Amino acid sequence: MKLQQEIDYGSLVKEDRVHISLYTDPAVFTDEMDKIFHRGWVYVGHQGEVPNPGDFRLKRIGLQPVIMVRDQSGTVRLLLNRCRHRGSTVCQEKQGNTRSFRCMYHGWTYQLNGDLTGVPGAEGYGDNLKREELGLVKVPRVAVYRGFIFGSLSPAGITIEEHLGRAAVELDLFVGLSKAEDVEVVSGIHRYHYQGNWKLAAENSMDGYHPMITHASFGQALMDKIQKSPVPEQQRADRDFTTFRGATKDLGNGHVMLDYKLRIYDALNGDPLPPVRAITPEGQAQMEDLSDRFGEQRAANMLREGGTHTFIFPNLILIGIQMRVLQPLSADRTEVCLYPTLLKWLAPEVNTIRLRSHEAFFGSASFGGPDDSEIFERVQDGCAVALEPWQLFSRGLHRERYEDGIIIGELDDEVTQRGIWRQWKKVMQQGTGAAQTSRRRPRSVVAGKRG
């Protein structure tokens, strides 16, 4: 008989391992939606996706449908996609430009800021129709950092600055210290699904242990090119990835990163890399700032291939020039959207090489993306094995070190995975959130303790 009870997350998440039920149990997924995706800060989109008044994109916060729209005043709004009359969604197109949102059930019409403006046969309501109270529901908390838009369905909680903490500087570097309006997110979306839990993609994105195995073909092609024409920082590169040195870092609050200096993403098409140059005075100043911080060569590489490799808990991954967004759909199904970015102040040929490098490793016919999706589904299948039901994350635990409050390990250690799960456990052990949307289901998993 299945008993309805609280899940003991303390027994399911250990320092060096986690129970496989956390990838498969629908009850855990329901709890995640409430405590992580509805109550906490979740990345929703970037202002560069909706540059003009009337531009909109459909998004989700957890499982709840959201419209991200720039209204006529230029303000970017997050509106819940549900008519206040009988509940139909008022926008079905994934993106576009519009002057209003109209429900196709009874014709209720809303302005871009969510205000209700049109009600067919309004006289039928007499004096009881209060339009000012029946606009589209706005996401209770919205915060913007360098154009990155975060939302929370809870009216109270920590600030976005507290949430980002030490990771904020990685958002700065991702956009090359650019202003929000200088970041373009209009080059298309690479969208795919896999049959597996959303946390598998989060773990994998910050995993420095698997590339030499899972992505061996890309590594060999890249090393062959490096051997023939290395740039200065690649002079000592060899053919087995051993000089891809760097570190894993736990920045706190579930934000983690791989910190490396050697260029990894490359178009591999034989084209010479164009010199990085700015086409505006402000852009030139930002280039000089990056060069002062990191040196001219590394700054140029950061602008061509991206300035960070960071996971922002719980759903934003910054790799190369892409913003990768995780959208959980169920315990065993996930949607992933990749948004390549351009910088308005970079020369056109530099933005072109940004896209070509992105496509080589992350496109639908690329070296990297399909490899990872296949692994996610194999891991999810493996979670059906009930004997010894634990995933190990112990690599490098014995050699972790602390610097200025940051946990640091070798590039192929599992510091990053432990950092993600540490925050996951902390949040999941908190009380029921203010934005809970469904009742708890019966639990069928009883966790055993490993000695």
Side-chain angles (χ1 to χ4, degrees):
M1 179 178 180
K2 296 181 180 179
L3 300 177
Q4 184 170 338
Q5 59 185 4
E6 292 293 326
I7 301 175
D8 181 6
Y9 292 113
S11 69
L12 298 173
V13 181
K14 304 293 189 181
E15 181 182 32
D16 64 346
R17 67 196 65 205
V18 301
H19 197 275
I20 60 174
S21 64
L22 302 183
Y23 301 92
T24 61
D25 186 357
V28 172
F29 181 83
T30 298
D31 218 13
E32 289 176 328
M33 292 303 100
D34 170 33
K35 294 179 179 177
I36 296 177
F37 283 86
H38 292 168
R39 181 171 60 183
W41 287 111
V42 175
Y43 174 73
V44 180
H46 194 278
Q47 289 180 341
E49 297 178 62
V50 287
N52 306 305
D55 287 349
F56 67 86
R57 298 259 185 136
L58 292 190
K59 304 287 185 176
R60 285 186 183 271
I61 295 179
L63 298 179
Q64 300 200 24
V66 172
I67 306 170
M68 183 176 76
V69 58
R70 189 178 291 271
D71 68 19
Q72 294 297 338
S73 71
T75 302
V76 177
R77 307 273 186 174
L78 298 182
L79 309 172
L80 295 181
N81 190 8
R82 180 179 184 273
C83 180
R84 296 295 303 281
H85 177 218
R86 299 271 286 277
S88 171
T89 55
V90 299
C91 182
Q92 284 70 48
E93 299 295 327
K94 292 185 180 298
Q95 65 184 83
N97 185 278
T98 187
R99 291 182 294 179
S100 61
F101 298 107
R102 184 171 184 265
C103 177
M104 296 306 294
Y105 195 2
H106 298 98
W108 284 33
T109 303
Y110 302 86
Q111 290 183 341
L112 299 179
N113 65 0
D115 290 349
L116 176 63
T117 58
V119 178
E123 65 279 3
Y125 292 93
D127 297 329
N128 296 321
L129 184 67
K130 298 181 179 179
R131 299 184 187 224
E132 67 278 7
E133 298 178 1
L134 293 171
L136 295 177
V137 176
K138 297 176 175 63
V139 171
R141 286 191 298 154
V142 178
V144 181
Y145 183 87
R146 278 200 187 269
F148 294 87
I149 302 171
F150 297 85
S152 173
L153 297 180
S154 173
I158 63 174
T159 66
I160 192 61
E161 290 78 15
E162 292 171 313
H163 172 66
L164 291 176
R166 297 175 185 267
V169 68
E170 301 306 321
L171 275 69
D172 299 341
L173 295 178
F174 176 79
V175 298
L177 307 181
S178 301
K179 297 178 180 178
E181 57 268 24
D182 286 335
V183 180
E184 292 186 328
V185 195
V186 293
S187 298
I189 306 171
H190 175 207
R191 189 191 314 268
Y192 62 90
H193 299 77
Y194 65 87
Q195 297 293 335
N197 191 267
W198 67 276
K199 297 184 290 295
L200 296 174
E203 296 166 355
N204 167 271
S205 68
M206 298 295 123
D207 186 295
Y209 188 28
H210 80 284
M212 65 186 71
I213 306 298
T214 308
H215 308 308
S217 58
F218 177 80
Q220 187 63 60
L222 181 58
M223 286 303 177
D224 286 345
K225 183 176 180 181
I226 288 173
Q227 289 290 316
K228 294 176 182 178
S229 56
V231 297
E233 78 271 24
Q234 297 169 339
Q235 293 290 346
R236 299 177 60 186
D238 61 28
R239 292 178 177 272
D240 62 3
F241 261 159
T242 59
T243 57
F244 275 62
R245 297 302 184 191
T248 48
K249 294 184 178 181
D250 177 1
L251 305 176
N253 291 348
H255 314 315
V256 297
M257 69 178 296
L258 300 182
D259 190 4
Y260 50 81
K261 297 181 179 180
L262 186 62
R263 286 181 54 247
I264 291 182
Y265 307 114
D266 195 299
L268 296 180
N269 57 12
D271 293 344
L273 292 177
V276 175
R277 63 185 182 89
I279 57 175
T280 69
E282 286 188 354
Q284 183 62 38
Q286 284 154 204
M287 278 188 58
E288 292 173 358
D289 191 353
L290 285 172
S291 295
D292 290 342
R293 296 190 193 189
F294 301 102
E296 185 175 346
Q297 184 63 58
R298 188 181 179 196
N301 291 337
M302 291 169 70
L303 291 171
R304 272 192 297 250
E305 285 90 23
T308 189
H309 191 124
T310 300
F311 173 66
I312 303 296
F313 190 88
N315 68 324
L316 173 61
I317 301 164
L318 303 174
I319 300 181
I321 69 160
Q322 66 170 279
M323 299 179 294
R324 185 187 305 184
V325 184
L326 306 181
Q327 176 56 60
L329 300 176
S330 66
D332 60 359
R333 184 164 175 78
T334 304
E335 178 183 84
V336 183
C337 293
L338 280 60
Y339 300 84
T341 60
L342 306 178
L343 300 179
K344 291 180 181 179
W345 54 265
L346 279 178
E349 64 271 17
V350 181
N351 275 323
T352 296
I353 203 67
R354 283 168 66 95
L355 286 177
R356 297 295 85 81
S357 297
H358 166 79
E359 292 162 355
F361 195 77
F362 297 107
S364 56
S366 66
F367 282 92
D371 293 342
D372 289 332
S373 294
E374 174 67 19
I375 292 298
F376 301 157
E377 298 195 357
R378 292 187 186 189
V379 174
Q380 193 73 23
D381 287 345
C383 287
V385 178
L387 297 179
E388 292 297 322
W390 297 91
Q391 305 278 63
L392 297 182
F393 295 108
S394 59
R395 185 174 178 83
L397 185 58
H398 67 288
R399 58 189 179 192
E400 286 183 349
R401 63 186 189 277
Y402 292 79
E403 294 182 9
D404 297 325
I406 297 176
I407 303 175
I408 300 177
E410 299 299 312
L411 186 60
D412 58 357
D413 286 348
E414 290 167 333
V415 168
T416 45
Q417 288 75 31
R418 291 191 290 272
I420 293 170
W421 277 105
R422 190 178 296 112
Q423 178 69 10
W424 186 94
K425 178 180 178 179
K426 175 183 177 181
V427 175
M428 295 297 287
Q429 286 184 315
Q430 294 174 355
T432 302
Q436 183 171 355
T437 57
S438 61
R439 296 181 181 274
R440 296 191 180 279
R441 303 178 189 176
R443 270 68 166 176
S444 58
V445 175
V446 178
K449 293 186 177 181
R450 185 182 179 87

